[in-house]
Amino acid sequence: MTVVLPADAAAIARAAAILREGGLVAFPTETVYGLGADATEAWAVARIYDAKDRPSFNPLIAHVADLDAARREAALPEPALRLVEAFWPGALTIVAPAAPSGSVCDLARAGLPSVAVRIPAHPVAQALLAAVGRPIAAPSANRSGHVSPVTAAHVAEDLSGRVDMILDGGRTPAGLESTIVSFCEDSPALLRPGAVAREAIEKILGEKLAAPERAEILGPGMTPSHYAPAARLRLEAHELEEGEAALDFGGRLAARAQAGVFVLDLSPSGDLVEAAANLFAYLREFDARRIANVAVAHVPERGLGEAINDRLRRASAPRLD
Ligand code: TXA
Ligand code: MG
């Protein structure tokens, strides 16, 4: 049975008790909804993979309450600490060597010598972490291969009956997962573009982010077709073809669309932050309307455009199944 509750103080206290007993709670963060379990208990973490139908044990992000907790889990080098100061709490995940004092279980780290940590900024996530008093392992709260959820209703569509509780904190503001930077190699590497733009990170670091060196350790979030709606997406469209709906940006395609064509515009004013916030909800909207073919307008590759285009390319990649 899955209870869905507005995320008030009583519901958060109940959620914390569920997590401490090894249960699963979906909760809002400022990026997307997370599917949380006690990160220190392998059997609780195992339930996450089961609920998501995840084909493999890829490593999960450990959400922590504060910097002390992050440093107990991960050996954060000096440049990582500068990013932490600039972006935490917030939509940045740091992968670093696991600290000897760490409590995140092997399963949540998929047996790797590293750990991914993040302090979320969302008040519900923060209250939950404070109440649990342990790191919470949480991938995005969707079935494996589906689009990440940005509302409690999206979570319920995918996971109702598979999690103990869904904390409803409204729609998540960023709408796109966190940016992941690894400090496990000689130079910092961008493992996943996300809600913090690459340029902002490079500015603080004073150097360019490298491409990941060991792509094979990356999980389903990094496989080509991971963010897959049912609709077929045709990227970089300049015109609409017969029978297509449109995922627009800045009104480019709408201007050429015939009357009656279904158009969702990620941002009519061409704002990339607004576009990121709308992306996953709009992909779900096409599926809800059983639309089979969607033409997608060009989205510029700057700022959050890098992460938006990354998700769009994955969503349009040939399916493995
Ligand atoms: O915004 C977000 O990051 C959301 C919210 C809930 O925090 N979480 C999320 O988790 O997107 P998930 O599991 O869908 O994506 C986590 C990514 C995966 O691609 C995983 O492979 C990578 O983080 N990751 C985690 N630990 C890692 C590690 N030790 N080394 C390399 N990659 C790691
Ligand atoms: Mg995910």
Side-chain angles (χ1 to χ4, degrees):
M1 248 294 287
T2 301
V3 240
V4 187
L5 291 176
D8 58 17
I12 289 170
R14 200 167 143 190
I18 291 172
L19 287 171
R20 278 199 299 268
E21 285 161 16
L24 296 183
V25 174
F27 62 97
T29 81
E30 71 277 31
T31 59
V32 299
Y33 274 74
L35 171 54
D38 179 348
T40 69
E41 284 290 349
W43 57 274
V45 171
R47 294 189 58 203
I48 292 179
Y49 298 106
D50 185 48
K52 281 182 69 96
D53 280 336
R54 252 199 183 167
S56 62
F57 295 151
N58 64 301
L60 305 176
I61 297 169
H63 298 72
V64 292
D66 52 36
L67 186 55
D68 285 346
R71 298 187 80 166
R72 272 198 297 280
E73 301 302 331
L76 300 176
E78 189 278 329
L81 289 170
R82 276 189 278 138
L83 293 188
V84 159
E85 191 163 320
F87 300 110
W88 277 2
L92 174 74
T93 295
I94 292 186
V95 174
S101 54
S103 64
V104 173
C105 67
D106 272 346
L107 183 58
R109 294 189 283 111
L112 293 169
S114 57
V115 64
V117 287
R118 153 165 127 81
I119 303 179
H122 197 290
V124 172
Q126 290 199 342
L128 187 62
L129 282 162
V132 172
R134 294 175 204 159
I136 300 178
S140 51
N142 50 279
R143 291 264 193 124
S144 191
H146 287 192
V147 169
S148 294
V150 299
T151 66
H154 293 165
V155 178
E157 274 171 33
D158 271 26
L159 297 176
S160 197
R162 295 175 162 241
V163 300
D164 300 298
M165 187 192 273
I166 300 171
L167 280 175
D168 187 350
R171 187 164 162 151
T172 63
L176 198 62
E177 297 91 341
S178 60
T179 303
I180 307 181
V181 177
S182 169
F183 287 89
C184 294
E185 310 289 341
D186 291 341
S187 34
L190 182 67
L191 297 190
R192 178 177 73 184
V196 176
R198 167 205 287 272
E199 294 89 328
I201 293 168
E202 291 177 339
K203 196 168 165 201
I204 303 281
L205 289 176
E207 64 177 311
K208 295 272 182 221
L209 288 164
E213 281 175 31
R214 288 180 297 172
E216 76 273 14
I217 66 166
L218 303 175
M222 304 299 289
T223 60
S225 76
H226 182 59
Y227 295 91
R232 296 273 153 188
L233 304 185
R234 185 171 65 83
L235 304 189
E236 302 287 339
H238 297 291
E239 307 282 344
L240 285 168
E241 289 172 6
E242 185 68 31
E244 281 182 328
L247 183 61
D248 209 354
F249 180 79
R252 292 162 205 243
L253 289 171
R256 297 196 184 84
Q258 313 258 330
V261 169
F262 182 68
V263 180
L264 290 174
D265 197 326
L266 289 167
S267 171
S269 67
D271 177 329
L272 289 163
V273 175
E274 182 186 27
N278 285 328
L279 178 64
F280 290 139
Y282 285 4
L283 292 177
R284 282 184 184 258
E285 177 80 23
F286 289 117
D287 283 355
R289 291 169 180 266
R290 310 214 179 287
I291 287 169
N293 293 295
V294 179
V296 183
H298 170 77
V299 176
E301 186 76 13
R302 64 183 148 76
L304 294 194
E306 182 180 11
I308 295 168
N309 283 319
D310 170 75
R311 304 306 187 275
L312 285 170
R313 278 192 291 272
R314 291 176 203 284
S316 65
R319 306 300 149 79
L320 301 173
D321 49 349

